[in-house]
PDB file of all heavy atoms in Angstrom:
ATOM      1  N   ASP Z 121      21.192  97.307  54.095  1.00  0.00           N
ATOM      2  CA  ASP Z 121      20.326  98.331  54.660  1.00  0.00           C
ATOM      3  C   ASP Z 121      21.037  99.329  55.562  1.00  0.00           C
ATOM      4  O   ASP Z 121      20.470 100.347  55.930  1.00  0.00           O
ATOM      5  CB  ASP Z 121      19.196  97.644  55.435  1.00  0.00           C
ATOM      6  CG  ASP Z 121      17.955  98.516  55.451  1.00  0.00           C
ATOM      7  OD1 ASP Z 121      17.703  99.175  54.420  1.00  0.00           O
ATOM      8  OD2 ASP Z 121      17.277  98.557  56.486  1.00  0.00           O
ATOM      9  N   ARG Z 122      22.276  99.045  55.926  1.00  0.00           N
ATOM     10  CA  ARG Z 122      22.978  99.978  56.829  1.00  0.00           C
ATOM     11  C   ARG Z 122      23.682 101.027  55.978  1.00  0.00           C
ATOM     12  O   ARG Z 122      24.912 101.091  55.915  1.00  0.00           O
ATOM     13  CB  ARG Z 122      23.956  99.224  57.708  1.00  0.00           C
ATOM     14  CG  ARG Z 122      23.230  98.190  58.563  1.00  0.00           C
ATOM     15  CD  ARG Z 122      24.122  97.638  59.619  1.00  0.00           C
ATOM     16  NE  ARG Z 122      24.635  98.666  60.510  1.00  0.00           N
ATOM     17  CZ  ARG Z 122      25.213  98.402  61.676  1.00  0.00           C
ATOM     18  NH1 ARG Z 122      25.316  97.163  62.091  1.00  0.00           N
ATOM     19  NH2 ARG Z 122      25.675  99.379  62.426  1.00  0.00           N
ATOM     20  N   THR Z 123      22.890 101.798  55.284  1.00  0.00           N
ATOM     21  CA  THR Z 123      23.432 102.761  54.330  1.00  0.00           C
ATOM     22  C   THR Z 123      23.011 104.176  54.703  1.00  0.00           C
ATOM     23  O   THR Z 123      21.944 104.390  55.281  1.00  0.00           O
ATOM     24  CB  THR Z 123      22.931 102.453  52.907  1.00  0.00           C
ATOM     25  OG1 THR Z 123      21.499 102.364  52.927  1.00  0.00           O
ATOM     26  CG2 THR Z 123      23.502 101.143  52.388  1.00  0.00           C
ATOM     27  N   ARG Z 124      23.864 105.128  54.371  1.00  0.00           N
ATOM     28  CA  ARG Z 124      23.631 106.538  54.690  1.00  0.00           C
ATOM     29  C   ARG Z 124      24.045 107.386  53.484  1.00  0.00           C
ATOM     30  O   ARG Z 124      24.820 106.935  52.647  1.00  0.00           O
ATOM     31  CB  ARG Z 124      24.515 106.990  55.869  1.00  0.00           C
ATOM     32  CG  ARG Z 124      24.644 105.996  57.009  1.00  0.00           C
ATOM     33  CD  ARG Z 124      23.519 106.173  58.009  1.00  0.00           C
ATOM     34  NE  ARG Z 124      23.625 105.257  59.130  1.00  0.00           N
ATOM     35  CZ  ARG Z 124      22.946 104.107  59.218  1.00  0.00           C
ATOM     36  NH1 ARG Z 124      22.152 103.710  58.228  1.00  0.00           N
ATOM     37  NH2 ARG Z 124      23.049 103.352  60.296  1.00  0.00           N
ATOM     38  N   ILE Z 125      23.571 108.612  53.495  1.00  0.00           N
ATOM     39  CA  ILE Z 125      24.032 109.606  52.519  1.00  0.00           C
ATOM     40  C   ILE Z 125      24.699 110.741  53.297  1.00  0.00           C
ATOM     41  O   ILE Z 125      24.177 111.178  54.322  1.00  0.00           O
ATOM     42  CB  ILE Z 125      22.849 110.180  51.694  1.00  0.00           C
ATOM     43  CG1 ILE Z 125      22.265 109.121  50.760  1.00  0.00           C
ATOM     44  CG2 ILE Z 125      23.271 111.430  50.915  1.00  0.00           C
ATOM     45  CD1 ILE Z 125      23.130 108.770  49.555  1.00  0.00           C
ATOM     46  N   MET Z 126      25.857 111.188  52.817  1.00  0.00           N
ATOM     47  CA  MET Z 126      26.488 112.354  53.433  1.00  0.00           C
ATOM     48  C   MET Z 126      25.837 113.606  52.841  1.00  0.00           C
ATOM     49  O   MET Z 126      26.015 113.901  51.649  1.00  0.00           O
ATOM     50  CB  MET Z 126      27.998 112.363  53.177  1.00  0.00           C
ATOM     51  CG  MET Z 126      28.719 113.523  53.872  1.00  0.00           C
ATOM     52  SD  MET Z 126      30.510 113.481  53.624  1.00  0.00           S
ATOM     53  CE  MET Z 126      30.650 114.295  52.018  1.00  0.00           C
ATOM     54  N   ASP Z 127      25.087 114.302  53.663  1.00  0.00           N
ATOM     55  CA  ASP Z 127      24.316 115.448  53.189  1.00  0.00           C
ATOM     56  C   ASP Z 127      25.231 116.495  52.553  1.00  0.00           C
ATOM     57  O   ASP Z 127      26.244 116.877  53.143  1.00  0.00           O
ATOM     58  CB  ASP Z 127      23.538 116.060  54.365  1.00  0.00           C
ATOM     59  CG  ASP Z 127      22.419 116.982  53.904  1.00  0.00           C
ATOM     60  OD1 ASP Z 127      21.873 116.741  52.803  1.00  0.00           O
ATOM     61  OD2 ASP Z 127      22.069 117.918  54.648  1.00  0.00           O
ATOM     62  N   GLY Z 128      24.864 116.931  51.360  1.00  0.00           N
ATOM     63  CA  GLY Z 128      25.666 117.933  50.656  1.00  0.00           C
ATOM     64  C   GLY Z 128      26.676 117.316  49.702  1.00  0.00           C
ATOM     65  O   GLY Z 128      27.149 117.978  48.787  1.00  0.00           O
ATOM     66  N   GLY Z 129      27.029 116.051  49.958  1.00  0.00           N
ATOM     67  CA  GLY Z 129      27.886 115.336  49.015  1.00  0.00           C
ATOM     68  C   GLY Z 129      29.299 115.885  48.920  1.00  0.00           C
ATOM     69  O   GLY Z 129      29.799 116.569  49.813  1.00  0.00           O
ATOM     70  N   ARG Z 130      29.908 115.567  47.807  1.00  0.00           N
ATOM     71  CA  ARG Z 130      31.307 115.910  47.565  1.00  0.00           C
ATOM     72  C   ARG Z 130      31.541 117.419  47.622  1.00  0.00           C
ATOM     73  O   ARG Z 130      32.536 117.884  48.169  1.00  0.00           O
ATOM     74  CB  ARG Z 130      31.643 115.351  46.182  1.00  0.00           C
ATOM     75  CG  ARG Z 130      33.067 115.432  45.778  1.00  0.00           C
ATOM     76  CD  ARG Z 130      33.256 114.969  44.344  1.00  0.00           C
ATOM     77  NE  ARG Z 130      34.496 115.554  43.879  1.00  0.00           N
ATOM     78  CZ  ARG Z 130      35.691 114.956  43.977  1.00  0.00           C
ATOM     79  NH1 ARG Z 130      35.777 113.755  44.469  1.00  0.00           N
ATOM     80  NH2 ARG Z 130      36.793 115.569  43.580  1.00  0.00           N
ATOM     81  N   ASP Z 131      30.610 118.167  47.049  1.00  0.00           N
ATOM     82  CA  ASP Z 131      30.792 119.620  47.001  1.00  0.00           C
ATOM     83  C   ASP Z 131      30.845 120.228  48.393  1.00  0.00           C
ATOM     84  O   ASP Z 131      31.608 121.165  48.645  1.00  0.00           O
ATOM     85  CB  ASP Z 131      29.666 120.281  46.190  1.00  0.00           C
ATOM     86  CG  ASP Z 131      29.824 120.024  44.698  1.00  0.00           C
ATOM     87  OD1 ASP Z 131      30.886 119.512  44.301  1.00  0.00           O
ATOM     88  OD2 ASP Z 131      28.888 120.325  43.941  1.00  0.00           O
ATOM     89  N   ALA Z 132      30.017 119.704  49.311  1.00  0.00           N
ATOM     90  CA  ALA Z 132      30.001 120.244  50.674  1.00  0.00           C
ATOM     91  C   ALA Z 132      31.350 119.984  51.346  1.00  0.00           C
ATOM     92  O   ALA Z 132      31.911 120.858  52.015  1.00  0.00           O
ATOM     93  CB  ALA Z 132      28.868 119.606  51.483  1.00  0.00           C
ATOM     94  N   TRP Z 133      31.857 118.772  51.170  1.00  0.00           N
ATOM     95  CA  TRP Z 133      33.147 118.406  51.763  1.00  0.00           C
ATOM     96  C   TRP Z 133      34.246 119.356  51.280  1.00  0.00           C
ATOM     97  O   TRP Z 133      35.073 119.847  52.055  1.00  0.00           O
ATOM     98  CB  TRP Z 133      33.484 116.961  51.385  1.00  0.00           C
ATOM     99  CG  TRP Z 133      34.740 116.416  51.976  1.00  0.00           C
ATOM    100  CD1 TRP Z 133      35.998 116.467  51.430  1.00  0.00           C
ATOM    101  CD2 TRP Z 133      34.872 115.745  53.242  1.00  0.00           C
ATOM    102  NE1 TRP Z 133      36.897 115.859  52.264  1.00  0.00           N
ATOM    103  CE2 TRP Z 133      36.243 115.401  53.378  1.00  0.00           C
ATOM    104  CE3 TRP Z 133      33.975 115.389  54.256  1.00  0.00           C
ATOM    105  CZ2 TRP Z 133      36.727 114.716  54.491  1.00  0.00           C
ATOM    106  CZ3 TRP Z 133      34.459 114.711  55.368  1.00  0.00           C
ATOM    107  CH2 TRP Z 133      35.823 114.387  55.483  1.00  0.00           C
ATOM    108  N   ILE Z 134      34.246 119.615  49.965  1.00  0.00           N
ATOM    109  CA  ILE Z 134      35.276 120.463  49.371  1.00  0.00           C
ATOM    110  C   ILE Z 134      35.078 121.924  49.793  1.00  0.00           C
ATOM    111  O   ILE Z 134      36.039 122.623  50.114  1.00  0.00           O
ATOM    112  CB  ILE Z 134      35.272 120.309  47.834  1.00  0.00           C
ATOM    113  CG1 ILE Z 134      35.759 118.899  47.470  1.00  0.00           C
ATOM    114  CG2 ILE Z 134      36.143 121.380  47.174  1.00  0.00           C
ATOM    115  CD1 ILE Z 134      35.620 118.534  46.015  1.00  0.00           C
ATOM    116  N   ALA Z 135      33.815 122.372  49.824  1.00  0.00           N
ATOM    117  CA  ALA Z 135      33.533 123.765  50.186  1.00  0.00           C
ATOM    118  C   ALA Z 135      34.020 124.074  51.600  1.00  0.00           C
ATOM    119  O   ALA Z 135      34.398 125.204  51.901  1.00  0.00           O
ATOM    120  CB  ALA Z 135      32.041 124.047  50.069  1.00  0.00           C
ATOM    121  N   GLU Z 136      34.002 123.050  52.461  1.00  0.00           N
ATOM    122  CA  GLU Z 136      34.453 123.255  53.837  1.00  0.00           C
ATOM    123  C   GLU Z 136      35.966 123.125  53.963  1.00  0.00           C
ATOM    124  O   GLU Z 136      36.510 123.197  55.078  1.00  0.00           O
ATOM    125  CB  GLU Z 136      33.751 122.237  54.755  1.00  0.00           C
ATOM    126  CG  GLU Z 136      32.252 122.535  54.901  1.00  0.00           C
ATOM    127  CD  GLU Z 136      31.460 121.332  55.409  1.00  0.00           C
ATOM    128  OE1 GLU Z 136      32.092 120.311  55.774  1.00  0.00           O
ATOM    129  OE2 GLU Z 136      30.226 121.425  55.428  1.00  0.00           O
ATOM    130  N   GLY Z 137      36.632 122.916  52.856  1.00  0.00           N
ATOM    131  CA  GLY Z 137      38.093 122.853  52.872  1.00  0.00           C
ATOM    132  C   GLY Z 137      38.636 121.614  53.557  1.00  0.00           C
ATOM    133  O   GLY Z 137      39.765 121.601  54.055  1.00  0.00           O
ATOM    134  N   ARG Z 138      37.820 120.541  53.559  1.00  0.00           N
ATOM    135  CA  ARG Z 138      38.282 119.320  54.233  1.00  0.00           C
ATOM    136  C   ARG Z 138      39.276 118.561  53.355  1.00  0.00           C
ATOM    137  O   ARG Z 138      39.357 118.774  52.143  1.00  0.00           O
ATOM    138  CB  ARG Z 138      37.072 118.445  54.576  1.00  0.00           C
ATOM    139  CG  ARG Z 138      36.134 119.105  55.580  1.00  0.00           C
ATOM    140  CD  ARG Z 138      35.002 118.179  55.970  1.00  0.00           C
ATOM    141  NE  ARG Z 138      34.046 118.845  56.847  1.00  0.00           N
ATOM    142  CZ  ARG Z 138      34.159 118.905  58.169  1.00  0.00           C
ATOM    143  NH1 ARG Z 138      35.207 118.356  58.773  1.00  0.00           N
ATOM    144  NH2 ARG Z 138      33.232 119.501  58.899  1.00  0.00           N
ATOM    145  N   GLU Z 139      39.981 117.648  54.003  1.00  0.00           N
ATOM    146  CA  GLU Z 139      41.095 116.965  53.354  1.00  0.00           C
ATOM    147  C   GLU Z 139      40.645 116.082  52.186  1.00  0.00           C
ATOM    148  O   GLU Z 139      39.642 115.383  52.259  1.00  0.00           O
ATOM    149  CB  GLU Z 139      41.817 116.095  54.392  1.00  0.00           C
ATOM    150  CG  GLU Z 139      43.106 115.482  53.865  1.00  0.00           C
ATOM    151  CD  GLU Z 139      43.716 114.474  54.831  1.00  0.00           C
ATOM    152  OE1 GLU Z 139      43.211 114.339  55.959  1.00  0.00           O
ATOM    153  OE2 GLU Z 139      44.685 113.813  54.436  1.00  0.00           O
ATOM    154  N   LEU Z 140      41.425 116.122  51.102  1.00  0.00           N
ATOM    155  CA  LEU Z 140      41.223 115.228  49.966  1.00  0.00           C
ATOM    156  C   LEU Z 140      42.539 114.508  49.706  1.00  0.00           C
ATOM    157  O   LEU Z 140      43.609 115.017  50.033  1.00  0.00           O
ATOM    158  CB  LEU Z 140      40.842 116.006  48.706  1.00  0.00           C
ATOM    159  CG  LEU Z 140      39.464 116.684  48.657  1.00  0.00           C
ATOM    160  CD1 LEU Z 140      39.368 117.569  47.420  1.00  0.00           C
ATOM    161  CD2 LEU Z 140      38.344 115.655  48.649  1.00  0.00           C
ATOM    162  N   THR Z 141      42.449 113.333  49.098  1.00  0.00           N
ATOM    163  CA  THR Z 141      43.664 112.625  48.735  1.00  0.00           C
ATOM    164  C   THR Z 141      43.484 112.002  47.363  1.00  0.00           C
ATOM    165  O   THR Z 141      42.360 111.706  46.947  1.00  0.00           O
ATOM    166  CB  THR Z 141      44.002 111.521  49.761  1.00  0.00           C
ATOM    167  OG1 THR Z 141      45.192 110.852  49.327  1.00  0.00           O
ATOM    168  CG2 THR Z 141      42.879 110.493  49.867  1.00  0.00           C
ATOM    169  N   ARG Z 142      44.595 111.803  46.654  1.00  0.00           N
ATOM    170  CA  ARG Z 142      44.537 111.062  45.386  1.00  0.00           C
ATOM    171  C   ARG Z 142      44.905 109.591  45.616  1.00  0.00           C
ATOM    172  O   ARG Z 142      44.932 108.796  44.681  1.00  0.00           O
ATOM    173  CB  ARG Z 142      45.477 111.686  44.353  1.00  0.00           C
ATOM    174  CG  ARG Z 142      44.885 112.901  43.651  1.00  0.00           C
ATOM    175  CD  ARG Z 142      45.675 113.274  42.390  1.00  0.00           C
ATOM    176  NE  ARG Z 142      44.946 114.284  41.595  1.00  0.00           N
ATOM    177  CZ  ARG Z 142      45.241 114.601  40.338  1.00  0.00           C
ATOM    178  NH1 ARG Z 142      46.243 114.016  39.726  1.00  0.00           N
ATOM    179  NH2 ARG Z 142      44.540 115.507  39.682  1.00  0.00           N
ATOM    180  N   GLU Z 143      45.232 109.268  46.849  1.00  0.00           N
ATOM    181  CA  GLU Z 143      45.663 107.907  47.192  1.00  0.00           C
ATOM    182  C   GLU Z 143      44.446 106.961  47.189  1.00  0.00           C
ATOM    183  O   GLU Z 143      43.536 107.145  47.985  1.00  0.00           O
ATOM    184  CB  GLU Z 143      46.282 107.933  48.590  1.00  0.00           C
ATOM    185  CG  GLU Z 143      47.034 106.672  48.986  1.00  0.00           C
ATOM    186  CD  GLU Z 143      48.212 106.387  48.077  1.00  0.00           C
ATOM    187  OE1 GLU Z 143      48.948 107.333  47.714  1.00  0.00           O
ATOM    188  OE2 GLU Z 143      48.384 105.202  47.734  1.00  0.00           O
ATOM    189  N   PRO Z 144      44.413 105.964  46.300  1.00  0.00           N
ATOM    190  CA  PRO Z 144      43.267 105.050  46.318  1.00  0.00           C
ATOM    191  C   PRO Z 144      43.187 104.329  47.658  1.00  0.00           C
ATOM    192  O   PRO Z 144      44.216 103.965  48.234  1.00  0.00           O
ATOM    193  CB  PRO Z 144      43.571 104.055  45.192  1.00  0.00           C
ATOM    194  CG  PRO Z 144      44.661 104.674  44.386  1.00  0.00           C
ATOM    195  CD  PRO Z 144      45.412 105.596  45.294  1.00  0.00           C
ATOM    196  N   ALA Z 145      41.981 104.130  48.150  1.00  0.00           N
ATOM    197  CA  ALA Z 145      41.829 103.440  49.430  1.00  0.00           C
ATOM    198  C   ALA Z 145      42.055 101.948  49.240  1.00  0.00           C
ATOM    199  O   ALA Z 145      41.654 101.374  48.235  1.00  0.00           O
ATOM    200  CB  ALA Z 145      40.431 103.690  49.987  1.00  0.00           C
TER     201      ALA Z 145
END
Side-chain angles (χ1 to χ4, degrees):
Chain Z
D121 208 37
R122 300 191 59 165
T123 53
R124 319 273 181 262
I125 291 287
M126 183 177 84
D127 197 30
R130 187 185 158 91
D131 287 350
W133 183 270
I134 292 172
E136 291 161 7
R138 296 184 185 273
E139 188 188 353
L140 291 172
T141 179
R142 279 195 169 194
E143 192 61 42

